[in-house]
Coordinates of all heavy atoms in Angstrom, one line a residue:
R1 N -199.2 -51.0 -75.6 CA -198.0 -51.6 -75.3 C -197.0 -51.7 -76.5 O -195.8 -51.8 -76.3 CB -198.3 -53.0 -74.7 CG -199.1 -52.9 -73.4 CD -199.2 -54.3 -72.8 NE -200.1 -53.9 -71.6 CZ -200.1 -54.8 -70.6 NH1 -199.3 -55.9 -70.7 NH2 -200.7 -54.6 -69.5
D2 N -197.7 -51.7 -77.7 CA -196.8 -51.8 -79.0 C -195.9 -50.6 -78.9 O -194.8 -50.7 -79.4 CB -197.7 -52.1 -80.1 CG -198.3 -53.5 -80.1 OD1 -197.7 -54.4 -79.5 OD2 -199.2 -53.6 -81.0
A3 N -196.6 -49.5 -78.6 CA -195.8 -48.2 -78.7 C -194.6 -48.2 -77.7 O -193.6 -47.6 -78.0 CB -196.8 -47.1 -78.4
L4 N -194.7 -48.8 -76.6 CA -193.7 -48.8 -75.7 C -192.5 -49.7 -76.3 O -191.4 -49.5 -75.8 CB -194.2 -49.4 -74.3 CG -195.1 -48.4 -73.5 CD1 -195.7 -49.2 -72.3 CD2 -194.4 -47.3 -73.1
K5 N -192.9 -50.7 -77.0 CA -191.8 -51.5 -77.5 C -191.1 -50.8 -78.7 O -189.9 -51.0 -79.0 CB -192.4 -52.8 -78.0 CG -192.9 -53.7 -76.8 CD -193.5 -55.0 -77.6 CE -194.3 -55.8 -76.4 NZ -195.0 -56.8 -77.0
M6 N -191.9 -49.8 -79.4 CA -191.3 -49.3 -80.6 C -190.6 -47.9 -80.4 O -189.8 -47.5 -81.1 CB -192.5 -49.0 -81.7 CG -193.1 -50.4 -82.1 SD -194.5 -50.2 -83.1 CE -194.3 -48.8 -84.1
F7 N -191.1 -47.1 -79.2 CA -190.6 -45.9 -79.0 C -190.1 -45.6 -77.7 O -190.3 -46.4 -76.8 CB -191.7 -44.9 -79.2 CG -192.4 -45.0 -80.6 CD1 -193.6 -45.6 -80.7 CD2 -191.8 -44.5 -81.7 CE1 -194.2 -45.6 -82.0 CE2 -192.4 -44.5 -83.0 CZ -193.7 -45.2 -83.0
T8 N -189.2 -44.6 -77.4 CA -188.7 -44.2 -76.2 C -189.5 -43.0 -75.8 O -189.6 -42.0 -76.5 CB -187.2 -43.9 -76.2 OG1 -186.5 -45.1 -76.6 CG2 -186.7 -43.5 -74.9
F9 N -190.2 -43.0 -74.7 CA -190.9 -41.8 -74.2 C -190.1 -41.1 -73.0 O -189.6 -41.9 -72.1 CB -192.2 -42.4 -73.5 CG -193.1 -42.9 -74.6 CD1 -193.1 -44.2 -75.0 CD2 -194.1 -42.1 -75.2 CE1 -194.0 -44.7 -75.9 CE2 -194.9 -42.6 -76.2 CZ -194.9 -43.9 -76.6
Y10 N -190.0 -39.9 -73.1 CA -189.5 -39.1 -72.0 C -190.7 -38.3 -71.4 O -191.3 -37.5 -72.2 CB -188.4 -38.2 -72.5 CG -187.2 -38.9 -73.0 CD1 -187.1 -39.3 -74.3 CD2 -186.2 -39.2 -72.1 CE1 -186.0 -40.0 -74.8 CE2 -185.1 -39.9 -72.5 CZ -185.0 -40.3 -73.9 OH -183.9 -41.0 -74.3
I11 N -191.0 -38.4 -70.2 CA -192.2 -37.7 -69.6 C -191.7 -36.9 -68.4 O -191.0 -37.1 -67.7 CB -193.1 -38.8 -69.1 CG1 -193.7 -39.7 -70.2 CG2 -194.4 -38.2 -68.4 CD1 -194.5 -40.9 -69.8
V12 N -192.2 -35.5 -68.6 CA -192.0 -34.6 -67.6 C -193.2 -34.2 -66.9 O -194.2 -33.6 -67.5 CB -191.3 -33.2 -68.1 CG1 -191.2 -32.1 -67.1 CG2 -190.1 -33.6 -68.8
P13 N -193.6 -34.8 -65.8 CA -194.9 -34.8 -65.2 C -195.3 -33.3 -64.8 O -196.5 -33.2 -64.8 CB -194.9 -35.7 -64.1 CG -193.5 -36.0 -63.7 CD -192.7 -35.8 -64.9
N14 N -194.4 -32.6 -64.4 CA -194.6 -31.3 -63.9 C -193.5 -30.3 -64.3 O -192.4 -30.5 -63.6 CB -195.0 -31.2 -62.4 CG -195.5 -29.8 -62.0 OD1 -195.2 -28.8 -62.7 ND2 -196.1 -29.7 -60.9
M15 N -193.6 -29.5 -65.2 CA -192.5 -28.6 -65.7 C -192.1 -27.6 -64.7 O -191.0 -27.1 -64.7 CB -192.9 -28.1 -67.1 CG -191.8 -27.4 -67.6 SD -190.6 -28.5 -68.3 CE -189.5 -27.4 -69.2
C16 N -193.0 -27.3 -63.7 CA -192.8 -26.2 -62.8 C -193.3 -26.5 -61.3 O -194.1 -26.0 -60.9 CB -193.6 -25.0 -63.4 SG -193.3 -23.6 -62.4
P17 N -192.7 -27.5 -60.7 CA -193.1 -27.9 -59.4 C -192.9 -26.9 -58.4 O -193.7 -26.8 -57.4 CB -192.2 -29.2 -59.0 CG -191.0 -29.1 -60.0 CD -191.5 -28.3 -61.2
D18 N -191.8 -26.0 -58.5 CA -191.7 -24.9 -57.5 C -192.8 -23.9 -57.6 O -193.2 -23.5 -56.6 CB -190.2 -24.3 -57.5 CG -189.9 -23.8 -58.9 OD1 -190.5 -24.1 -59.9 OD2 -188.9 -23.0 -59.0
G19 N -193.1 -23.6 -58.8 CA -194.2 -22.6 -59.1 C -195.5 -23.2 -58.6 O -196.3 -22.5 -58.1
A20 N -195.8 -24.4 -59.1 CA -197.0 -25.1 -58.7 C -197.3 -25.1 -57.2 O -198.3 -24.9 -56.5 CB -197.1 -26.4 -59.2
F21 N -196.2 -25.3 -56.4 CA -196.1 -25.4 -55.0 C -196.6 -24.2 -54.4 O -197.3 -24.1 -53.2 CB -194.8 -25.8 -54.4 CG -194.7 -25.8 -52.9 CD1 -195.2 -27.0 -52.1 CD2 -194.2 -24.9 -52.1 CE1 -195.2 -27.0 -50.8 CE2 -194.2 -24.9 -50.9 CZ -194.6 -26.0 -50.1
R22 N -196.2 -23.0 -55.1 CA -196.7 -21.7 -54.6 C -198.0 -21.3 -55.1 O -198.4 -20.1 -54.9 CB -195.5 -20.7 -54.9 CG -194.3 -20.9 -54.3 CD -193.1 -20.0 -54.8 NE -192.0 -20.0 -54.0 CZ -191.1 -21.1 -53.9 NH1 -191.2 -22.2 -54.8 NH2 -190.0 -20.9 -53.1
G23 N -198.6 -22.1 -55.8 CA -199.9 -21.9 -56.4 C -200.0 -21.2 -57.8 O -200.9 -20.7 -58.2
H24 N -198.9 -21.1 -58.5 CA -198.6 -20.5 -59.7 C -199.0 -21.6 -60.8 O -198.6 -22.7 -60.7 CB -197.4 -20.0 -60.0 CG -196.9 -18.9 -59.0 ND1 -195.5 -18.8 -58.8 CD2 -197.4 -18.3 -58.1 CE1 -195.4 -17.9 -57.8 NE2 -196.6 -17.6 -57.4
L25 N -199.7 -21.1 -61.8 CA -200.2 -22.1 -63.0 C -199.1 -22.2 -64.0 O -198.9 -23.3 -64.5 CB -201.5 -21.7 -63.6 CG -202.7 -21.6 -62.7 CD1 -203.9 -21.1 -63.3 CD2 -203.0 -23.0 -62.0
R26 N -198.5 -21.2 -64.3 CA -197.6 -21.2 -65.4 C -196.2 -20.5 -65.0 O -195.4 -20.5 -66.0 CB -198.1 -20.6 -66.6 CG -199.2 -21.4 -67.3 CD -199.7 -20.7 -68.6 NE -200.6 -21.6 -69.2 CZ -201.9 -21.9 -68.9 NH1 -202.4 -21.1 -67.9 NH2 -202.6 -22.7 -69.7
T27 N -196.0 -20.0 -63.9 CA -194.8 -19.3 -63.6 C -194.0 -20.1 -62.6 O -194.5 -20.8 -61.8 CB -195.0 -17.9 -63.1 OG1 -195.8 -17.9 -61.9 CG2 -195.7 -17.0 -64.1
N28 N -192.6 -20.1 -62.7 CA -191.8 -20.7 -61.8 C -191.6 -19.8 -60.5 O -192.2 -18.8 -60.3 CB -190.4 -21.0 -62.4 CG -189.6 -19.8 -62.9 OD1 -189.9 -18.6 -62.6 ND2 -188.6 -20.0 -63.6
A29 N -190.8 -20.3 -59.7 CA -190.6 -19.6 -58.4 C -190.1 -18.3 -58.6 O -190.3 -17.4 -57.7 CB -189.6 -20.4 -57.5
G30 N -189.4 -18.0 -59.7 CA -188.9 -16.6 -60.0 C -189.9 -15.7 -60.6 O -189.6 -14.6 -61.0
G31 N -191.0 -16.3 -60.9 CA -192.1 -15.4 -61.5 C -192.1 -15.4 -63.0 O -192.9 -14.5 -63.6
H32 N -191.3 -16.3 -63.6 CA -191.2 -16.2 -65.1 C -192.2 -17.2 -65.7 O -192.3 -18.4 -65.4 CB -189.8 -16.6 -65.4 CG -188.8 -15.6 -64.9 ND1 -188.8 -14.3 -65.3 CD2 -187.9 -15.7 -63.9 CE1 -187.8 -13.6 -64.7 NE2 -187.3 -14.5 -63.7
N33 N -192.9 -16.7 -66.8 CA -193.9 -17.6 -67.4 C -193.2 -18.6 -68.3 O -192.7 -18.3 -69.4 CB -194.9 -16.8 -68.2 CG -196.0 -17.5 -68.9 OD1 -195.9 -18.7 -69.0 ND2 -197.0 -16.8 -69.2
L34 N -193.2 -19.9 -67.9 CA -192.5 -20.8 -68.6 C -193.0 -21.0 -70.0 O -192.4 -21.6 -70.9 CB -192.4 -22.1 -68.0 CG -191.7 -22.1 -66.6 CD1 -191.7 -23.5 -65.9 CD2 -190.4 -21.5 -66.8
N35 N -194.2 -20.7 -70.3 CA -194.8 -20.9 -71.7 C -194.2 -19.7 -72.6 O -194.3 -20.0 -73.9 CB -196.4 -20.5 -71.7 CG -197.0 -21.7 -71.2 OD1 -196.6 -22.8 -71.1 ND2 -198.4 -21.5 -70.8
R36 N -193.5 -18.8 -72.2 CA -192.8 -17.8 -73.0 C -191.3 -18.0 -73.1 O -190.5 -17.1 -73.6 CB -193.3 -16.4 -72.5 CG -194.6 -16.0 -72.3 CD -195.3 -15.9 -73.6 NE -196.8 -15.8 -73.5 CZ -197.7 -16.7 -73.7 NH1 -197.2 -18.0 -74.0 NH2 -198.9 -16.6 -73.6
E37 N -190.9 -19.1 -72.5 CA -189.5 -19.3 -72.4 C -188.8 -20.3 -73.3 O -187.8 -20.8 -73.2 CB -189.1 -19.7 -70.9 CG -189.4 -18.6 -69.8 CD -188.4 -17.5 -70.0 OE1 -187.2 -17.8 -70.2 OE2 -188.8 -16.3 -70.0
W38 N -189.6 -20.8 -74.4 CA -189.2 -21.9 -75.1 C -188.3 -21.5 -76.4 O -187.7 -22.3 -76.9 CB -190.3 -22.7 -75.6 CG -190.9 -23.5 -74.5 CD1 -191.9 -23.1 -73.6 CD2 -190.6 -24.9 -74.1 NE1 -192.1 -24.0 -72.7 CE2 -191.3 -25.1 -73.0 CE3 -189.6 -25.7 -74.6 CZ2 -191.0 -26.4 -72.3 CZ3 -189.4 -26.9 -74.0 CH2 -190.2 -27.3 -72.9
C39 N -188.3 -20.2 -76.7 CA -187.5 -19.8 -77.8 C -187.2 -18.2 -77.7 O -188.1 -17.5 -77.0 CB -188.1 -20.2 -79.1 SG -189.7 -19.3 -79.5
P40 N -186.2 -17.7 -78.3 CA -186.0 -16.3 -78.3 C -187.1 -15.6 -79.1 O -187.8 -16.2 -80.0 CB -184.7 -16.1 -79.1 CG -184.0 -17.5 -79.1 CD -185.1 -18.6 -79.0
S41 N -187.4 -14.4 -78.6 CA -188.5 -13.6 -79.3 C -188.2 -12.1 -79.2 O -187.0 -11.8 -78.7 CB -189.8 -13.9 -78.7 OG -189.9 -13.6 -77.3
E42 N -189.1 -11.3 -79.4 CA -189.0 -9.9 -79.2 C -189.9 -9.3 -78.3 O -191.1 -9.9 -78.0 CB -189.2 -9.1 -80.5 CG -188.1 -9.3 -81.6 CD -188.5 -8.3 -82.7 OE1 -189.4 -7.6 -82.9 OE2 -187.6 -8.3 -83.7
K43 N -189.5 -8.4 -77.4 CA -190.3 -7.8 -76.4 C -191.3 -6.7 -77.2 O -191.1 -6.5 -78.3 CB -189.5 -6.9 -75.5 CG -188.7 -7.8 -74.5 CD -187.8 -7.0 -73.6 CE -186.9 -7.7 -72.8 NZ -186.1 -7.1 -71.8
L44 N -192.3 -6.3 -76.6 CA -193.2 -5.3 -77.3 C -192.5 -4.2 -77.8 O -193.0 -3.6 -78.8 CB -194.3 -4.9 -76.3 CG -195.2 -6.0 -75.8 CD1 -196.2 -5.5 -74.8 CD2 -196.0 -6.5 -77.0
D45 N -191.4 -3.7 -77.2 CA -190.7 -2.6 -77.7 C -189.8 -2.9 -78.8 O -188.9 -2.1 -79.3 CB -190.0 -1.9 -76.5 CG -188.9 -2.6 -75.9 OD1 -188.6 -3.7 -76.3 OD2 -188.3 -2.2 -75.0
G46 N -189.6 -4.2 -79.2 CA -188.8 -4.6 -80.3 C -187.4 -5.1 -80.0 O -186.7 -5.6 -80.7
T47 N -187.0 -5.0 -78.6 CA -185.7 -5.5 -78.2 C -185.8 -7.0 -78.0 O -186.9 -7.6 -77.8 CB -185.4 -4.8 -76.8 OG1 -186.3 -5.1 -76.0 CG2 -185.2 -3.3 -76.9
P48 N -184.6 -7.6 -78.3 CA -184.5 -9.1 -78.2 C -184.8 -9.6 -76.9 O -184.5 -9.0 -75.9 CB -183.2 -9.3 -78.7 CG -182.6 -8.2 -79.2 CD -183.4 -6.9 -78.8
Y49 N -185.6 -10.8 -76.9 CA -185.7 -11.5 -75.6 C -185.2 -12.9 -75.6 O -185.6 -13.7 -76.4 CB -187.3 -11.6 -75.3 CG -187.6 -12.2 -74.0 CD1 -187.5 -11.5 -72.8 CD2 -188.0 -13.6 -73.9 CE1 -187.8 -12.1 -71.5 CE2 -188.4 -14.2 -72.7 CZ -188.3 -13.5 -71.5 OH -188.5 -14.0 -70.3
D50 N -184.0 -13.1 -75.0 CA -183.2 -14.2 -75.1 C -183.9 -15.3 -74.3 O -184.1 -15.1 -73.0 CB -181.8 -14.0 -74.7 CG -180.9 -15.4 -75.0 OD1 -181.2 -16.1 -75.9 OD2 -180.0 -15.6 -74.1
A51 N -184.3 -16.5 -74.7 CA -184.9 -17.5 -73.9 C -184.6 -18.9 -74.6 O -184.4 -18.9 -75.8 CB -186.3 -17.3 -73.9
P52 N -184.5 -20.0 -73.8 CA -184.5 -19.9 -72.4 C -183.1 -19.5 -71.8 O -182.1 -19.7 -72.5 CB -184.8 -21.3 -72.0 CG -184.3 -22.1 -73.1 CD -184.5 -21.3 -74.3
T53 N -183.1 -19.3 -70.6 CA -181.8 -18.9 -69.9 C -181.7 -19.8 -68.6 O -182.7 -20.0 -68.0 CB -181.5 -17.5 -69.6 OG1 -182.5 -17.1 -68.6 CG2 -181.6 -16.6 -70.7
L54 N -180.5 -20.1 -68.3 CA -180.4 -20.9 -67.1 C -180.8 -20.0 -65.8 O -181.4 -20.6 -64.9 CB -178.9 -21.3 -66.8 CG -178.4 -22.6 -67.5 CD1 -176.9 -22.8 -67.4 CD2 -179.2 -23.8 -66.8
N55 N -180.6 -18.7 -65.9 CA -181.1 -17.9 -64.7 C -182.5 -17.7 -64.6 O -183.0 -17.8 -63.5 CB -180.3 -16.6 -64.9 CG -180.5 -15.7 -63.7 OD1 -180.5 -16.1 -62.5 ND2 -180.9 -14.5 -63.9
R56 N -183.1 -17.5 -65.7 CA -184.5 -17.3 -65.6 C -185.5 -18.5 -65.7 O -186.4 -18.5 -65.1 CB -184.9 -16.3 -66.8 CG -186.2 -15.6 -66.6 CD -186.5 -14.6 -67.8 NE -186.2 -15.1 -69.2 CZ -185.2 -14.6 -69.9 NH1 -184.6 -13.6 -69.5 NH2 -185.1 -15.0 -71.1
S57 N -185.0 -19.4 -66.5 CA -186.0 -20.6 -66.7 C -185.1 -21.9 -66.9 O -185.1 -22.4 -68.0 CB -186.7 -20.3 -68.0 OG -185.9 -20.0 -69.2
P58 N -184.5 -22.3 -65.7 CA -183.7 -23.5 -65.9 C -184.3 -24.7 -66.3 O -183.9 -25.7 -66.9 CB -182.9 -23.6 -64.5 CG -183.9 -22.9 -63.7 CD -184.4 -21.8 -64.5
E59 N -185.7 -24.7 -65.9 CA -186.6 -25.9 -66.2 C -186.6 -26.1 -67.7 O -186.3 -27.2 -68.3 CB -188.0 -25.7 -65.8 CG -188.1 -25.4 -64.2 CD -188.0 -23.9 -64.0 OE1 -187.5 -23.2 -64.8 OE2 -188.6 -23.4 -63.0
V60 N -187.0 -25.1 -68.5 CA -187.1 -25.1 -70.0 C -185.6 -25.4 -70.5 O -185.6 -26.2 -71.4 CB -187.7 -23.8 -70.4 CG1 -187.8 -24.0 -72.0 CG2 -189.1 -23.6 -69.8
Y61 N -184.7 -24.7 -70.0 CA -183.3 -24.8 -70.5 C -182.9 -26.3 -70.5 O -182.5 -26.8 -71.6 CB -182.4 -24.0 -69.8 CG -181.0 -24.1 -70.3 CD1 -180.5 -23.2 -71.3 CD2 -180.1 -24.9 -69.8 CE1 -179.3 -23.3 -71.7 CE2 -178.8 -25.1 -70.3 CZ -178.3 -24.2 -71.2 OH -177.1 -24.3 -71.7
H62 N -183.1 -27.0 -69.5 CA -182.6 -28.4 -69.4 C -183.5 -29.3 -70.2 O -182.8 -30.2 -70.7 CB -182.5 -28.8 -67.8 CG -181.4 -28.2 -67.2 ND1 -180.1 -28.4 -67.5 CD2 -181.3 -27.2 -66.2 CE1 -179.3 -27.7 -66.7 NE2 -180.0 -27.0 -65.9
V63 N -184.8 -29.1 -70.2 CA -185.7 -30.1 -71.1 C -185.2 -29.9 -72.5 O -185.1 -30.8 -73.3 CB -187.0 -29.8 -70.8 CG1 -187.9 -30.4 -71.9 CG2 -187.5 -30.2 -69.5
L64 N -185.0 -28.5 -73.0 CA -184.6 -28.3 -74.4 C -183.3 -29.0 -74.7 O -183.1 -29.5 -75.8 CB -184.7 -26.8 -74.7 CG -185.9 -26.2 -75.1 CD1 -185.7 -24.7 -75.2 CD2 -186.7 -26.9 -76.3
Q65 N -182.4 -28.9 -73.8 CA -181.0 -29.5 -74.0 C -181.3 -31.1 -74.2 O -180.6 -31.6 -75.1 CB -180.0 -29.3 -72.8 CG -179.7 -27.9 -72.6 CD -178.6 -27.4 -73.7 OE1 -177.8 -28.1 -74.0 NE2 -179.0 -26.3 -74.3
K66 N -182.0 -31.6 -73.4 CA -182.3 -33.1 -73.6 C -183.0 -33.4 -74.9 O -182.7 -34.4 -75.6 CB -183.2 -33.6 -72.4 CG -183.4 -35.1 -72.4 CD -182.1 -35.8 -72.1 CE -182.4 -37.3 -72.0 NZ -181.3 -38.1 -71.7
M67 N -184.0 -32.6 -75.3 CA -184.7 -32.8 -76.6 C -183.7 -32.6 -77.7 O -183.8 -33.4 -78.7 CB -185.7 -31.8 -76.6 CG -186.9 -32.0 -75.6 SD -188.1 -30.6 -75.6 CE -188.9 -30.6 -77.2
D68 N -182.8 -31.8 -77.5 CA -181.7 -31.5 -78.6 C -180.8 -32.8 -78.7 O -180.4 -33.2 -79.9 CB -180.9 -30.2 -78.4 CG -181.7 -29.1 -78.7 OD1 -182.7 -29.1 -79.5 OD2 -181.3 -27.9 -78.3
K69 N -180.5 -33.4 -77.5 CA -179.5 -34.5 -77.6 C -180.2 -35.8 -78.1 O -179.6 -36.5 -78.8 CB -179.2 -34.7 -76.1 CG -178.2 -35.7 -75.9 CD -177.8 -35.9 -74.4 CE -176.8 -37.1 -74.3 NZ -176.5 -37.2 -72.8
T70 N -181.5 -35.9 -77.6 CA -182.2 -37.3 -78.0 C -183.0 -37.2 -79.3 O -183.2 -38.1 -80.0 CB -183.1 -37.7 -77.0 OG1 -184.1 -36.7 -76.7 CG2 -182.4 -37.9 -75.6
G71 N -183.4 -36.0 -79.8 CA -184.3 -35.9 -81.0 C -185.6 -36.0 -80.5 O -185.9 -36.6 -79.4
V72 N -186.6 -35.3 -81.2 CA -188.0 -35.4 -80.8 C -188.8 -35.4 -81.9 O -188.7 -34.9 -83.1 CB -188.4 -34.0 -80.1 CG1 -189.9 -34.0 -79.8 CG2 -187.6 -33.7 -78.8
D73 N -189.8 -36.5 -82.0 CA -190.6 -36.6 -83.1 C -192.0 -36.1 -82.7 O -192.8 -35.7 -83.5 CB -190.8 -38.2 -83.4 CG -189.6 -38.8 -84.0 OD1 -189.0 -38.1 -84.9 OD2 -189.2 -39.8 -83.5
V74 N -192.4 -36.1 -81.4 CA -193.7 -35.6 -81.0 C -193.5 -34.9 -79.6 O -192.8 -35.4 -78.7 CB -194.8 -36.8 -80.9 CG1 -196.1 -36.2 -80.3 CG2 -195.1 -37.5 -82.2
F75 N -194.1 -33.8 -79.4 CA -194.1 -33.1 -78.1 C -195.4 -32.6 -77.8 O -196.1 -32.0 -78.6 CB -193.1 -31.9 -78.3 CG -193.1 -31.0 -77.1 CD1 -192.3 -31.5 -76.0 CD2 -193.6 -29.8 -77.1 CE1 -192.3 -30.7 -74.8 CE2 -193.5 -28.9 -76.0 CZ -193.0 -29.4 -74.8
L76 N -195.9 -33.0 -76.6 CA -197.2 -32.7 -76.2 C -197.1 -31.8 -75.0 O -196.4 -32.1 -74.0 CB -198.1 -33.8 -75.8 CG -198.4 -34.9 -76.9 CD1 -199.1 -36.1 -76.3 CD2 -199.2 -34.3 -78.0
D77 N -197.8 -30.7 -74.9 CA -197.8 -29.8 -73.8 C -199.2 -29.8 -73.2 O -200.1 -29.2 -73.9 CB -197.4 -28.4 -74.2 CG -197.3 -27.3 -73.0 OD1 -197.5 -27.8 -71.9 OD2 -197.3 -26.2 -73.3
V78 N -199.5 -30.5 -72.2 CA -200.9 -30.7 -71.6 C -201.1 -29.9 -70.3 O -200.1 -30.0 -69.5 CB -201.1 -32.2 -71.4 CG1 -202.5 -32.4 -70.8 CG2 -200.8 -33.0 -72.7
H79 N -202.1 -29.2 -70.3 CA -202.4 -28.4 -69.1 C -203.7 -28.9 -68.6 O -204.6 -29.2 -69.2 CB -202.6 -26.9 -69.4 CG -201.3 -26.2 -69.9 ND1 -200.6 -25.5 -69.1 CD2 -200.7 -26.3 -71.1 CE1 -199.6 -24.9 -69.7 NE2 -199.7 -25.4 -70.9
G80 N -203.7 -29.1 -67.2 CA -204.8 -29.6 -66.4 C -205.6 -28.5 -65.6 O -206.3 -28.9 -64.7
D81 N -205.2 -27.3 -65.8 CA -205.7 -26.3 -65.0 C -206.9 -25.6 -65.5 O -207.5 -24.8 -64.8 CB -204.6 -25.2 -64.6 CG -204.0 -24.6 -65.9 OD1 -203.7 -25.3 -66.9 OD2 -203.8 -23.5 -65.9
E82 N -207.2 -25.8 -66.8 CA -208.5 -25.2 -67.3 C -209.7 -26.0 -66.8 O -209.8 -27.1 -66.7 CB -208.4 -25.2 -68.8 CG -207.5 -24.2 -69.4 CD -205.9 -24.8 -69.5 OE1 -205.8 -26.0 -69.3 OE2 -205.0 -24.0 -69.7
E83 N -210.8 -25.0 -66.7 CA -212.1 -25.8 -66.3 C -212.9 -25.9 -67.4 O -212.9 -25.3 -68.5 CB -212.7 -24.7 -65.2 CG -211.9 -24.6 -64.0 CD -212.6 -23.6 -62.9 OE1 -213.9 -23.4 -63.1 OE2 -211.9 -23.1 -62.2

């Protein structure tokens, strides 16, 4: 309870509800793996991979926008699908 008085918590209970509804563990309804959408990277052939994008991963895009706006001290990515 002390932490609730000292800090502001933003909780996203399910980053990918549309994908989860379809039985996907990490991909959204468009079939994109949201674990790979958090920052730009390179494809295996060396070409740039721009991420996140509103078209491919709006879930990640909007959460990152909020994180940039509010600032983040701690970020936890918890998965409950492993056995």
